[in-house]
Amino acid sequence: MKKLWKGNEAIAEAAVAAGCRYFFGYPITPQNEIPEYLSWRLPEVGGAFIQAESEVSAINMLYGAAGAGARAMTSSSSPGISLKQEGISYIAAAELPCVIVNMMRSGPGLGGIQPAQGDYFQATKGGGHGDYHPIVFAPSSIQEFVDITYGAFDVADKYRTPVMIIGDGMLGQMMEPAEIPPMRDLKTLPDKNEWAACGHSDGRPRIINSLRIEPDELEAFNNHLFKKYEEITKNETRCEEYLTSDAEYIFVAYGSVARICKAAIVELRAQGIKAGLIRPITLYPYPTDAIASKAKCDKVKKFITVEMSMGQMIEDVRLAVNGLKPVEFYGRSGGNVMMPADLVKYVKEGK
Amino acid sequence: MKIVADKPKMLTETPLHYCPGCTHGIVHRLVAEVLDELGKADNAIGVVPVGCSVFGYKYFRCDVFEAAHGRAPAVASAIRRVVNPDNMIFTYQGDGDLASIGMAETVHACTRGENITVIFINNGIYGMTGGQMAPTTMPGEKATTCIYGRDPKVNGNPVHMCEMLATLTGPAYIERVSCYDVPHVIKAKAAIKKAFQVQMAKKGLSFIEVVANCPTNYHQTPLESMQFVKEKGCAFYPLGVFKDITKEDK
Amino acid sequence: MQKIIISGFGGQGVLSLGKFISYSAIEQNLNTSWLPSYGPEMRGGTANCSVIYSAEDIAAPVIDHPDILIAFNEPSLDKFEGSVKAGGVIITNSDIVHKKTTRKDVKFYQVPVDTLAAAINKRGANVYMLGVLLPIFNGDISEEAAIHAVEHVFESKPKVIPSNIECLKAGIEYMKKFVK
């Protein structure tokens, strides 16, 4: 049955349904409903919640729980995610599966608490130090948040890699009908006995480590990591195309902004202007091929990247388009949200 | 032939990388001996730091996490939630790790009363990075970032961890020991044993500080360094039990 | 489809009126979205929410031009009246908002909702307002669906359900006089 769910709470319950039993977090707006919800919900299902002393502690607690073989999660918002970056790098390097949620707010600095998408670079290009990427999902509705959170733990386990789910204050705070999938039977979750360090007594110590002090050893590891990313790119890249088959103007946008683009497209088409949307659902791996193939279409006149930032994803759009078509940018920042009418006006004036 | 002394089963065959005269090796051995004796070695979980004991995972024959600098108590707190309550969990940390960058993690794991054991090696210097001033460097002692000696007016004052943590409600057992001679090694072992017994009884966090040496960075011979620990180190950081809730229970 | 902005002081039930509409829409098998303002302004300042219901998928949850504005205080009327669609609806809580809209191209209703609801349930103003809205929704959401929504929201406080349903029905009756 569909129920009205607040974005943050829907993510929390979807995580529980997916078998997540441990959560570590620190308060920051606009994601507080996630820790608040899990603080009472996890003990109900035999799990545990720690309100950590800082985001830094929280991410390292996640390292501990994931390394011990549990399904575990943390969440925060932009400044807090910055604090977690060192830990995310360690988690990627120790190959620990876990889920990190970022309900983005406006920056830089302490910035504001209204919705923004200024953490695209941080999320998709590694964020912390060294050569690594988390898998990054960017859902655009509460139901999609639920479905992606539910599946994210499986993806994390499959590749032994951190998965980041990014939304913004709008998606975290809004309510929509959504249905939570059934509770996973914990017995059916992947067996991590091979590597998880949970106190074995079989004489074969498991080591959770990211120190590789010999250059050759570390280079071999980095090659292994990037082979894994190739595999992830092949299997996990996802995007939605909306009315692109005859489109002359193609918006590229993710998350809540993609929905604003859809509303604009409906209005533009009512006025006889053929607009469409490519909505990346994974930001890493990026749906480069989908954009590249549209760039080769004669019908397409230009791409318009729309972001709640000063322009970050546009770099990946340009790389995909590779000079075949103009790539323009429409952005708002500071916590301001563009309206469908703004995009309609932009397209009509630039036509 | 009777074997009168042997390597603890919990230590691996990997040779220790520590400098000649360093007491890290002694404390590793004491932790391993104690866990062997308590029958808790094979399913113990260690969390080692960044610093000289960063390679701890090569030496302890148990599951080991290599934690980010200062975060071992946070990592251990999460492991405590996940694993069997009977698994012994210990962190092994130096002064820069535990008392500087990881101060918040240390204090909060203590105040939560996590059922873990923290082994704290206090030698008053950053050893691995080459002898910089530590949060526990004593006034007047030279380091590469206070070359004329630590001046509290310029560099601030050193931290007394045991005294500070003893003010908290959470910790169950806090003792400061040293390893500068055999009687003190024996006392240190008794303290570490008591610490793990407190954990086995699920009484909460046990914290053992070892006033230790660093011959390399203090430019001392091993013997000089032991003398220094005895005369200066233990005068500034007095040995003893700072908190023991097992006593209060009686 | 209706796009509705509800605005007022924090504590006037602004956000919960929005939730009542969304719950009613779900009971009616419609799609819906509820988007609140959030942050420090919620603590004693002004609060508002954007609510949409539609038989289609809802694209943008943000509203630039609402079909309906419900203003529970004067600053809300000042802030949002200019954005209401031509031919749209503005409703004020006339117990608090004494001035009229400057717009000539909208339908304007002044409802003393606090006074009207107080006769039945002192805390029932927002459910009364839900009733007021149903005739404006023109049959999109049935009385039955709204009753189910009220029952659902007050599931844990069954004692207050009857008086709230009474508020709802009174609101419907009140507005029927003005809307055919």
Side-chain angles (χ1 to χ4, degrees):
Chain A
M1 229 286 275
K2 284 207 167 184
K3 248 183 75 182
L4 201 56
W5 281 95
K6 194 171 221 194
N8 284 333
E9 294 180 346
I11 291 167
E13 183 58 31
V16 171
C20 173
R21 290 294 176 270
Y22 301 93
F23 180 92
F24 314 99
Y26 186 84
I28 183 170
T29 305
Q31 59 84 52
N32 292 317
E33 293 83 359
I34 300 177
E36 284 167 359
Y37 186 94
L38 290 169
S39 70
W40 61 265
R41 184 69 174 112
L42 284 172
E44 272 188 358
V45 292
F49 163 89
I50 302 179
Q51 180 165 325
E53 52 271 27
S54 67
E55 284 92 348
V56 176
S57 271
I59 193 72
N60 285 282
M61 288 174 180
L62 188 62
Y63 177 89
R71 283 199 161 175
M73 181 167 100
T74 188
S75 69
S76 191
S77 179
S78 307
I81 294 290
S82 294
L83 280 169
K84 289 183 197 286
Q85 289 301 334
E86 183 203 28
I88 297 172
S89 172
Y90 278 60
I91 284 169
E95 300 193 88
L96 301 180
C98 61
V99 174
I100 300 145
V101 177
N102 180 7
M103 284 296 168
M104 291 183 283
R105 53 188 260 181
S106 46
L110 192 49
I113 59 169
Q114 298 304 320
Q117 295 181 325
D119 302 351
Y120 179 89
F121 286 150
Q122 190 196 49
T124 59
K125 311 298 177 190
H129 59 285
D131 283 315
Y132 77 95
H133 299 273
I135 299 175
V136 183
F137 287 103
S140 75
S141 70
I142 308 306
Q143 184 66 57
E144 198 175 29
F145 260 107
V146 166
D147 296 339
I148 280 176
T149 304
Y150 193 71
F153 290 90
D154 288 326
V155 174
D157 280 344
K158 181 174 175 188
Y159 300 101
R160 283 188 60 185
T161 193
V163 171
M164 187 175 272
I165 302 172
I166 66 175
D168 57 52
M170 196 190 322
L171 288 164
Q173 297 296 323
M174 69 182 277
M175 291 178 96
E176 278 185 317
E179 189 169 354
I180 309 288
M183 288 283 271
R184 284 288 296 270
D185 178 355
L186 298 188
K187 286 189 223 80
T188 66
L189 300 184
D191 180 12
K192 301 174 182 173
N193 186 51
E194 182 57 30
W195 58 265
C198 52
H200 293 86
S201 42
D202 59 6
R204 186 173 67 80
R206 275 60 153 186
I207 309 298
I208 303 298
N209 180 31
S210 68
L211 177 66
R212 296 174 180 91
I213 209 155
E214 294 298 332
D216 287 344
E217 188 199 349
L218 182 51
E219 188 174 46
F221 173 77
N222 286 343
N223 286 332
H224 152 76
L225 215 48
F226 275 70
K227 257 203 126 59
K228 181 159 89 175
Y229 298 152
E230 270 174 37
E231 195 69 8
I232 289 169
T233 304
K234 208 172 74 197
N235 300 336
E236 308 297 337
T237 308
R238 283 161 68 183
C239 74
E240 179 199 358
E241 294 197 27
Y242 177 73
L243 304 177
T244 54
S245 60
D246 63 343
E248 297 174 353
Y249 303 91
I250 295 186
F251 291 113
V252 186
Y254 66 93
S256 54
V257 175
R259 297 175 61 155
I260 294 163
C261 290
K262 281 186 182 175
I265 289 164
V266 171
E267 179 57 31
L268 284 164
R269 284 189 174 255
Q271 298 183 28
I273 298 167
K274 288 176 180 160
L277 167 73
I278 295 178
R279 175 174 76 90
I281 299 171
T282 51
L283 300 183
Y284 185 89
Y286 196 73
T288 306
D289 292 348
I291 295 172
S293 81
K294 278 292 156 201
K296 290 181 195 123
C297 281
D298 291 338
K299 270 183 255 174
V300 176
K301 291 185 178 156
K302 66 181 168 193
F303 291 84
I304 303 152
T305 309
V306 187
E307 299 176 64
M308 284 192 291
S309 75
M310 298 304 291
Q312 299 193 9
M313 183 178 73
I314 187 169
E315 295 191 3
D316 286 330
V317 178
R318 282 202 186 110
L319 283 173
V321 171
N322 202 14
L324 292 178
K325 295 281 158 61
V327 178
E328 295 178 0
F329 179 70
Y330 186 93
R332 292 298 304 274
S333 82
N336 285 313
V337 181
M338 65 284 288
M339 289 288 168
D342 299 329
L343 299 176
V344 170
K345 186 163 168 253
Y346 177 87
V347 172
K348 284 171 74 179
E349 283 176 357
K351 208 158 82 81
Chain B
M1 197 164 59
K2 193 177 155 200
I3 295 174
V4 292
D6 199 4
K7 200 167 184 173
K9 284 205 285 294
M10 202 198 167
L11 288 183
T12 64
E13 297 308 316
T14 312
L16 301 178
H17 72 283
Y18 299 110
C19 304
C22 171
T23 50
H24 260 307
I26 296 175
V27 183
H28 279 29
R29 185 185 171 103
L30 296 182
V31 170
E33 276 184 6
V34 162
L35 286 169
D36 275 353
E37 287 166 19
L38 293 172
K40 288 289 185 183
D42 61 342
N43 64 355
I45 301 168
V47 186
V48 297
V50 171
C52 286
S53 43
V54 69
F55 291 118
Y57 59 87
K58 295 184 180 180
Y59 309 135
F60 292 111
R61 200 192 303 275
C62 66
D63 287 2
V64 181
F65 286 70
E66 209 310 290
H69 200 23
R71 318 302 169 209
V75 173
S77 298
I79 298 168
R80 181 80 283 165
R81 302 294 184 287
V82 175
V83 304
N84 190 308
D86 293 325
N87 287 99
M88 291 292 99
I89 300 175
F90 67 95
T91 72
Y92 187 105
Q93 305 172 256
D95 42 44
D97 191 90
L98 179 141
S100 187
I101 194 169
M103 182 63 103
E105 283 75 5
T106 304
V107 169
H108 285 275
C110 282
T111 200
R112 283 192 303 266
E114 296 290 345
N115 197 41
I116 60 173
T117 296
V118 175
I119 308 290
F120 168 39
I121 307 299
N122 175 13
N123 62 4
I125 201 92
Y126 281 79
M128 184 68 117
T129 46
Q132 295 81 8
M133 186 186 74
T136 50
T137 299
M138 292 181 284
E141 292 307 322
K142 290 174 181 158
T144 58
T145 48
C146 56
I147 56 172
Y148 304 112
R150 181 176 198 153
D151 175 358
K153 286 203 188 85
V154 177
N155 309 109
N157 295 285
V159 190
H160 285 74
M161 288 304 295
C162 287
E163 288 82 344
M164 191 180 92
L165 297 176
T167 64
L168 301 174
T169 312
Y173 188 76
I174 299 177
E175 184 171 354
R176 184 185 286 128
V177 296
S178 189
C179 289
Y180 61 77
D181 62 14
V182 173
H184 282 87
V185 171
I186 293 168
K187 274 190 187 165
K189 181 176 173 183
I192 291 169
K193 192 162 199 168
K194 168 102 182 188
F196 280 108
Q197 283 166 333
V198 164
Q199 189 185 154
M200 285 167 77
K202 302 184 175 60
K203 298 230 178 251
L205 190 136
S206 45
F207 185 94
I208 303 297
E209 173 175 341
V210 184
V211 183
N213 61 347
C214 181
T216 301
N217 286 298
Y218 280 93
H219 310 292
Q220 295 160 333
T221 66
L223 280 178
E224 281 166 2
S225 80
M226 292 300 192
Q227 202 61 28
F228 176 78
V229 167
K230 180 182 175 182
E231 285 167 10
K232 285 204 164 169
C234 293
F236 193 78
Y237 293 108
L239 308 186
V241 176
F242 290 82
K243 189 165 187 211
D244 183 358
I245 66 160
T246 62
K247 276 231 174 88
E248 292 161 18
D249 285 350
K250 278 170 199 165
Chain C
M1 176 161 80
Q2 295 284 359
K3 298 181 176 177
I4 306 147
I5 288 180
I6 307 160
S7 184
F9 293 120
Q12 281 184 306
V14 164
L15 300 184
S16 53
L17 172 57
K19 285 186 197 172
F20 278 118
I21 297 169
S22 277
Y23 277 115
S24 305
I26 291 185
E27 294 290 343
Q28 196 71 46
N29 282 321
L30 294 164
N31 288 309
T32 183
S33 66
W34 174 92
L35 176 66
S37 61
Y38 61 87
E41 62 178 335
M42 276 179 65
R43 320 234 193 282
T46 61
N48 68 73
C49 64
S50 303
V51 180
I52 303 174
Y53 71 78
S54 170
E56 312 292 320
D57 280 345
I58 293 165
V62 292
I63 299 174
D64 38 9
H65 300 295
D67 301 298
I68 302 169
L69 167 67
I70 303 149
F72 279 89
N73 62 13
E74 288 191 1
S76 298
L77 182 64
D78 295 342
K79 183 174 178 185
F80 291 109
E81 67 172 345
S83 67
V84 177
K85 243 181 224 170
V89 173
I90 296 177
I91 303 172
T92 57
N93 172 355
S94 57
D95 283 322
I96 292 187
V97 184
H98 301 300
K99 62 179 177 185
K100 295 184 172 177
T101 180
T102 56
R103 291 280 298 268
K104 306 283 179 226
D105 57 346
V106 299
K107 294 184 196 107
F108 181 59
Y109 303 102
Q110 292 174 290
V111 184
V113 68
D114 291 338
T115 311
L116 291 167
I120 306 161
N121 174 351
K122 262 191 275 180
R123 308 186 54 153
N126 49 9
V127 175
Y128 196 101
M129 191 60 97
L130 176 68
V132 167
L133 285 164
L134 290 193
I136 295 172
F137 292 163
N138 200 16
D140 290 346
I141 292 175
S142 68
E143 183 177 330
E144 200 189 358
I147 289 173
H148 281 158
V150 169
E151 286 169 347
H152 178 81
V153 172
F154 293 113
E155 217 166 30
S156 58
K157 289 181 256 174
K159 270 192 201 158
V160 307
I161 293 176
S163 65
N164 272 291
I165 292 177
E166 215 180 309
C167 279
L168 177 79
K169 290 186 171 171
I172 297 170
E173 288 312 311
Y174 175 88
M175 204 57 190
K176 271 185 182 166
K177 287 181 274 179
F178 304 98
V179 182
K180 278 169 203 117

